[in-house]
Amino acid sequence: MDATMHAARFTTAYWCVLIAALLPMACALLAKAGAFRPSDNAAPRAWLDRQTGWRARAHAAQANSFEALPFFIGAVVIAHQLGARQTLVDRLALAFVLLRLGFIALYVADRPTLRSLVWCAGLFVNIAILFAGYR
């Protein structure tokens, strides 16, 4: 290996990106669990749009998880590019994923105030990731 090259590694923060990218699909599976039939697969979005109660909230959590994803990915990549302390970025990324899991659980459980507080905490963690490498 050339002395000027460095070995890249898949950091904990990058693993968190993968987990965050899978969360919307987990929400969709949750919304469909036990009620979605093979015949519903002809129009799965229409089926989801007709749901009520916790299934509708799981579907809404799916949409919100997709919405949160680009900022998180961008923040992690930017932090890495800026040479942020890896341990800090990893811990913040883990916190973000845990907050997203809590957000989803609170959304499905119909706890809107606490859910919004957890969403705000996730946003602040994401901002912290973004600026972790700022000098």
Side-chain angles (χ1 to χ4, degrees):
M1 177 183 266
D2 186 308
T4 61
M5 295 177 62
H6 68 281
R9 65 184 186 91
F10 210 76
T11 66
T12 298
Y14 286 147
W15 282 109
C16 289
V17 167
L18 174 61
I19 293 166
L22 296 175
L23 287 178
M25 284 145 283
C27 292
L29 287 172
L30 178 62
K32 295 174 182 179
F36 193 79
R37 299 179 315 267
S39 61
D40 296 323
N41 201 39
R45 291 182 181 169
W47 183 89
L48 282 167
D49 289 340
R50 290 191 304 272
Q51 300 311 299
T52 59
W54 69 269
R55 290 184 190 283
R57 292 190 299 275
H59 178 46
Q62 174 192 24
N64 187 275
S65 295
F66 274 125
E67 293 163 3
L69 194 54
F71 184 23
F72 177 60
I73 293 170
V76 168
V77 169
I78 290 168
H80 280 90
Q81 287 180 332
L82 292 176
R85 281 191 1 248
Q86 193 59 56
T87 303
L88 175 62
V89 176
D90 289 344
R91 288 180 180 166
L92 288 170
L94 282 168
F96 179 80
V97 168
L98 291 173
L99 286 165
R100 291 303 304 172
L101 288 168
F103 172 87
I104 292 165
L106 291 166
Y107 213 138
V108 173
D110 198 18
R111 302 288 307 270
T113 302
L114 192 52
R115 177 193 83 217
S116 293
L117 290 172
V118 170
W119 182 92
C120 288
L123 176 64
F124 289 126
V125 167
N126 220 358
I127 292 168
I129 294 169
L130 179 68
F131 284 103
Y134 182 76
R135 292 179 190 17

